Amino acid sequence: MTARDRVAKDGRPTINDIARMAGVSKKTVSRVINESLFVKEDTREAIQSIIRETGYVPDPQARGLAFRHSFLVGLIYDNPNAQHTIDHQQGLLEAMAGTGFELVVRRVDRTSPTLVEDMRAFIERQKLFGVVLPSPVSEEERLVDLLKELDRRYVRISSTPLDQADRMVVSHDGQGAAQAAHHLAGLGHTRIALISGQQGRRSSSVRMQGFEEGLAEHGLALDPALVRRGAYTYESGVQAARELLAMEPRPTAIFCLNDEMAAGAYLAARERGLVVGADISIVGFDDAPIAARLWPTMTSVRLPLRQMGRIAGEMLTPSALREAPATPREIVPELIVRNSTAAVS
Amino acid sequence: MTARDRVAKDGRPTINDIARMAGVSKKTVSRVINESLFVKEDTREAIQSIIRETGYVPDPQARGLAFRHSFLVGLIYDNPNAQHTIDHQQGLLEAMAGTGFELVVRRVDRTSPTLVEDMRAFIERQKLFGVVLPSPVSEEERLVDLLKELDRRYVRISSTPLDQADRMVVSHDGQGAAQAAHHLAGLGHTRIALISGQQGRRSSSVRMQGFEEGLAEHGLALDPALVRRGAYTYESGVQAARELLAMEPRPTAIFCLNDEMAAGAYLAARERGLVVGADISIVGFDDAPIAARLWPTMTSVRLPLRQMGRIAGEMLTPSALREAPATPREIVPELIVRNSTAAVS
DNA sequence: CTGAAAGCGCTTACAG
DNA sequence: CTGAAAGCGCTTACAG
């Protein structure tokens, strides 16, 4: 008869089963589960081996009730880009695998007047252990204030440091944009246009500033007349690029602050009979799957979204709680050069 | 002094607070929460109004512990296509909003030898209320058997009925594929090629069969020599299309069983100097965002993934539990005609 | 280092 | 129609 057979036949063993089998109180088993230091070595080992044999795993619901917090981590997102969310999610799940924590997802509308109270209800009701805020939700200070008020752990993912280092995953989008500037300047471009994201979006201002700084290193400046505001959507990219390509003289390159808008710029170029990668150079940002599927393939700044999610997950995970003070988790996006850019003719 | 002020200052009201304020036992409050019929109308109303005033919401963790199941619904997915997962997720979240249930996501590897035991641990440990299985995980009978053994509610999303109607969301991919056949036949195509998904994938065989049936209505048959096996990936589409376009005589149309492979076919066509939508017609399946962003825009069979997710969520939701016997939840995908298809010249 | 008691916030039997 | 007791599977004080 194995240990497993000795527990109630209609379910998994509980802390009481383990205690009985080990001949100790449930409290001592609890101490072992929670890695208390005040357990005699022999006792601990005996209990651990029984736990192993029986396959006992403490009930997260019961633990949560007693602990007054659950073992759920919330991913609160508001980004229409499927790839962004799925990649972050994937990285988070990788980091959380085997930790006993689970990922609860929640899509929100940042502009909703009830955002904060909805999130308050969600976080309190589920007694979330922690929360991950990807961009652009990470820019909502109202949410961060709420998290502080409720004393919840959180990690913000953003293109610029918005918070103390142990609460941030930073992708230095500015440095990625600067690489795009070096690339275009190196190809001899001087009439360079830019299509931005919405006003107020941190990623947009950070990328634009980084691009300008990159250009400055080559003695170039961004001509305000060649800057159009987009909205990170395909349609806005089409529209902005149409305007830019109608100008005289025409810009020879366009840096689009995300791939969706860059894809829109491809269409605008085609409408005018311009060959992308010859008559006009286009650079995107994200390196989403579409970048490699368009023709010609698109030069783009790669954002390692999955890796960023993984880091966020590790930062929220309990093992990380015990580690040395968190070092800044920072990432520098890398320019992927493909065929949408070429030397000025 | 409002009702809200009367509860413990350091947190949300509990069932005990409500009971005290209503002058009844907690059991009676519990009956109201769970919509028992055995509560006097007056009592019920009094309690309900106090619940409303205080903003009381029962603790899902405590309820779960007593009920022996949580209020978590699991989304178990294994589809590299981000859009598929995010759309299903979005629909599920819409359906679950306000129900008190939360969505826990879990990415699995269908080919993992530990798949079933991993899922058993997940489902048992979290005491999931229900599970959603999107394609192709929905085709894993081992998982379905496990769900039955554990007596868990579940909904399978698939392109063909695999289970009883109240456990299925069916998209009749065959009928969508037939529309593609009618479209191409109507344009005069007769040398029509097809790139399939992996062997064993239900969606692939269903779409292929539907396509053949559609062709048959026009007196056409699919030439086995013009059928290539792909793997639902961009690269496999490129490869298969290269082979097909090298044939003499060349097919005049290619039906790709998903958009990713169709995007690959675009590249293969370009490599040969063929103009998509003129020299060669290409039809995809999914109508993913990329279909409208490629040039020329792609004709594709639209799969309403979000709607399918919403239906699945409604089927798992408790309100649905009380409704009349579930009618089959079935969907017919719709062909979206764009510019990648044209009459044979 | 270890345990008996009480409690986390609910529900299930069982009475009445 | 309503309630007092016991219990879901854990942990937090509090003792020893």
Side-chain angles (χ1 to χ4, degrees):
Chain A
M1 175 157 121
T2 71
R4 191 161 228 138
D5 296 327
R6 262 171 283 158
V7 307
K9 51 250 147 254
D10 65 330
R12 322 237 63 196
T14 72
I15 197 171
N16 288 308
D17 297 316
I18 305 300
R20 192 178 342 104
M21 292 167 70
V24 299
S25 75
K26 51 161 49 162
K27 178 57 206 164
T28 299
V29 177
S30 171
R31 287 199 179 89
V32 171
I33 295 171
N34 293 293
E35 303 181 32
S36 158
L37 298 173
F38 305 102
V39 179
K40 198 166 29 164
E41 195 49 36
D42 295 0
T43 316
R44 178 201 318 286
E45 277 168 15
I47 294 175
Q48 276 174 335
S49 95
I50 292 176
I51 288 180
R52 222 171 300 118
E53 285 173 48
T54 54
Y56 167 70
V57 180
D59 180 332
Q61 240 161 21
R63 289 229 299 166
L65 188 59
F67 268 139
R68 288 162 191 77
H69 76 247
S70 70
F71 291 87
L72 302 174
V73 168
L75 172 63
I76 299 178
Y77 65 98
D78 170 24
N79 190 323
N81 189 306
Q83 200 68 43
H84 267 249
T85 301
I86 227 59
D87 283 350
H88 276 148
Q89 194 166 301
Q90 175 66 13
L92 282 166
L93 289 172
E94 285 170 10
M96 290 167 59
T99 63
F101 288 82
E102 297 294 337
L103 187 65
V104 176
V105 295
R106 193 85 170 206
R107 202 224 213 267
V108 300
D109 173 3
R110 254 182 322 144
T111 66
S112 163
T114 61
L115 174 67
V116 172
E117 69 186 75
D118 289 350
M119 288 305 97
R120 180 192 294 277
F122 172 47
I123 294 165
E124 283 195 334
R125 203 153 303 166
Q126 301 300 325
K127 304 208 211 80
L128 296 186
F129 176 81
V131 169
V132 177
L133 304 174
S135 169
V137 173
S138 60
E139 298 164 26
E140 290 292 332
E141 293 299 336
R142 298 175 298 161
L143 243 37
V144 174
D145 290 343
L146 173 69
L147 260 2
K148 284 177 179 157
E149 178 196 329
L150 298 178
D151 195 27
R152 262 1 114 115
R153 288 188 64 79
Y154 66 85
V155 173
R156 302 162 78 171
I157 304 180
S158 180
S159 50
T160 181
L162 301 166
D163 211 320
Q164 54 192 82
D166 61 345
R167 292 175 157 174
M168 283 297 312
V169 176
V170 179
S171 64
H172 288 287
D173 287 14
Q175 296 183 36
Q179 291 173 44
H182 299 325
H183 176 61
L184 290 175
L187 290 170
H189 292 276
T190 53
R191 282 194 60 76
I192 302 175
L194 182 146
I195 304 179
S196 78
Q198 298 93 316
Q199 182 157 32
R201 286 286 293 265
R202 282 312 263 272
S203 60
S204 179
S205 52
V206 167
R207 291 170 191 177
M208 181 156 153
Q209 190 186 335
F211 189 68
E212 290 196 79
E213 289 171 6
L215 288 181
E217 293 183 33
H218 300 266
L220 297 173
L222 198 53
D223 178 353
L226 295 182
V227 175
R228 286 289 177 287
R229 187 180 311 291
Y232 280 153
T233 63
Y234 177 75
E235 292 72 19
S236 72
V238 173
Q239 185 54 41
R242 276 180 185 148
E243 294 175 21
L244 291 167
L245 295 176
M247 296 177 75
E248 285 294 344
R250 215 172 45 219
T252 61
I254 307 181
F255 180 41
C256 302
L257 265 36
N258 80 351
D259 283 352
E260 277 291 294
M261 296 193 297
Y266 270 58
L267 177 66
R270 282 223 177 70
E271 289 174 344
R272 294 212 146 242
L274 299 174
V275 176
V276 174
D279 305 322
I280 178 80
S281 286
I282 294 178
V283 179
F285 202 111
D286 278 348
D287 192 31
I290 196 174
R293 279 150 184 63
L294 287 177
W295 193 89
T297 55
M298 187 198 289
T299 296
S300 184
V301 181
R302 176 174 293 171
L303 219 38
L305 299 163
R306 183 162 141 194
Q307 185 186 349
M308 291 160 71
R310 192 169 337 109
I311 295 173
E314 287 164 1
M315 288 171 72
L316 277 177
T317 259
S319 62
L321 298 182
R322 292 185 227 103
E323 274 168 18
T327 52
R329 322 292 172 129
E330 310 195 358
I331 277 174
V332 177
E334 179 195 3
L335 181 73
I336 307 297
V337 176
R338 297 202 184 83
N339 301 309
S340 63
T341 45
V344 227
S345 46
Chain B
M1 175 157 120
T2 71
R4 190 159 228 140
D5 296 328
R6 260 171 285 156
V7 307
K9 52 251 147 254
D10 64 330
R12 322 237 62 196
T14 73
I15 196 171
N16 288 309
D17 296 317
I18 306 299
R20 194 180 338 107
M21 292 167 71
V24 299
S25 77
K26 52 163 46 163
K27 177 58 206 162
T28 299
V29 177
S30 173
R31 286 198 179 89
V32 172
I33 294 171
N34 293 294
E35 302 182 31
S36 159
L37 298 172
F38 306 101
V39 179
K40 198 165 31 162
E41 195 50 37
D42 294 1
T43 316
R44 178 202 317 287
E45 279 170 14
I47 294 175
Q48 277 174 333
S49 95
I50 292 176
I51 288 179
R52 222 172 301 117
E53 285 173 50
T54 55
Y56 168 70
V57 180
D59 179 331
Q61 238 160 21
R63 289 229 298 165
L65 188 59
F67 268 139
R68 288 164 192 75
H69 74 247
S70 70
F71 290 87
L72 301 175
V73 168
L75 172 62
I76 299 179
Y77 66 99
D78 170 25
N79 190 324
N81 188 308
Q83 200 67 43
H84 268 248
T85 301
I86 227 59
D87 282 351
H88 277 147
Q89 193 166 303
Q90 175 66 12
L92 282 166
L93 289 172
E94 285 170 10
M96 291 167 58
T99 63
F101 288 83
E102 297 294 337
L103 188 65
V104 175
V105 296
R106 193 84 170 202
R107 203 224 213 264
V108 300
D109 173 4
R110 256 181 323 140
T111 66
S112 162
T114 60
L115 174 67
V116 173
E117 69 185 73
D118 288 350
M119 288 305 98
R120 180 191 295 275
F122 172 48
I123 295 164
E124 284 195 334
R125 203 153 303 167
Q126 300 300 324
K127 303 207 211 80
L128 294 187
F129 176 81
V131 169
V132 177
L133 303 174
S135 170
V137 173
S138 60
E139 297 164 26
E140 290 292 333
E141 293 299 336
R142 299 175 297 160
L143 242 36
V144 174
D145 291 343
L146 173 69
L147 260 1
K148 286 177 177 155
E149 178 196 329
L150 298 177
D151 194 28
R152 262 359 114 113
R153 290 187 63 79
Y154 66 85
V155 173
R156 302 163 77 172
I157 303 179
S158 180
S159 51
T160 182
L162 301 167
D163 210 321
Q164 54 192 80
D166 61 345
R167 292 174 157 176
M168 283 297 312
V169 175
V170 179
S171 63
H172 288 287
D173 287 15
Q175 296 183 37
Q179 292 173 44
H182 300 325
H183 175 61
L184 290 174
L187 290 170
H189 293 275
T190 53
R191 286 194 58 76
I192 302 176
L194 182 146
I195 304 178
S196 78
Q198 298 93 318
Q199 181 157 32
R201 286 287 292 264
R202 284 311 263 272
S203 60
S204 179
S205 52
V206 166
R207 290 171 191 176
M208 181 155 154
Q209 190 185 336
F211 190 68
E212 290 196 80
E213 290 171 5
L215 288 181
E217 292 183 36
H218 301 266
L220 297 172
L222 198 54
D223 179 352
L226 295 182
V227 174
R228 286 289 178 286
R229 188 179 313 288
Y232 280 154
T233 62
Y234 177 76
E235 292 73 17
S236 71
V238 173
Q239 185 54 41
R242 276 182 186 148
E243 295 175 22
L244 291 168
L245 294 176
M247 296 177 75
E248 286 293 344
R250 213 172 46 218
T252 61
I254 307 180
F255 179 41
C256 303
L257 264 35
N258 80 352
D259 283 353
E260 277 290 295
M261 296 192 296
Y266 269 59
L267 177 66
R270 282 222 177 70
E271 289 174 344
R272 293 208 146 246
L274 300 174
V275 176
V276 175
D279 305 321
I280 178 78
S281 285
I282 294 178
V283 180
F285 203 112
D286 278 349
D287 192 31
I290 196 175
R293 280 151 183 61
L294 287 176
W295 194 88
T297 54
M298 188 197 289
T299 296
S300 184
V301 182
R302 176 174 294 172
L303 218 39
L305 300 164
R306 184 163 140 192
Q307 184 187 348
M308 293 159 70
R310 191 167 340 105
I311 295 173
E314 286 164 0
M315 289 169 72
L316 278 177
T317 259
S319 62
L321 297 182
R322 293 184 225 104
E323 275 168 19
T327 52
R329 322 293 172 129
E330 312 195 357
I331 277 175
V332 177
E334 179 194 3
L335 180 74
I336 306 296
V337 177
R338 295 203 183 83
N339 302 310
S340 63
T341 46
V344 227
S345 46

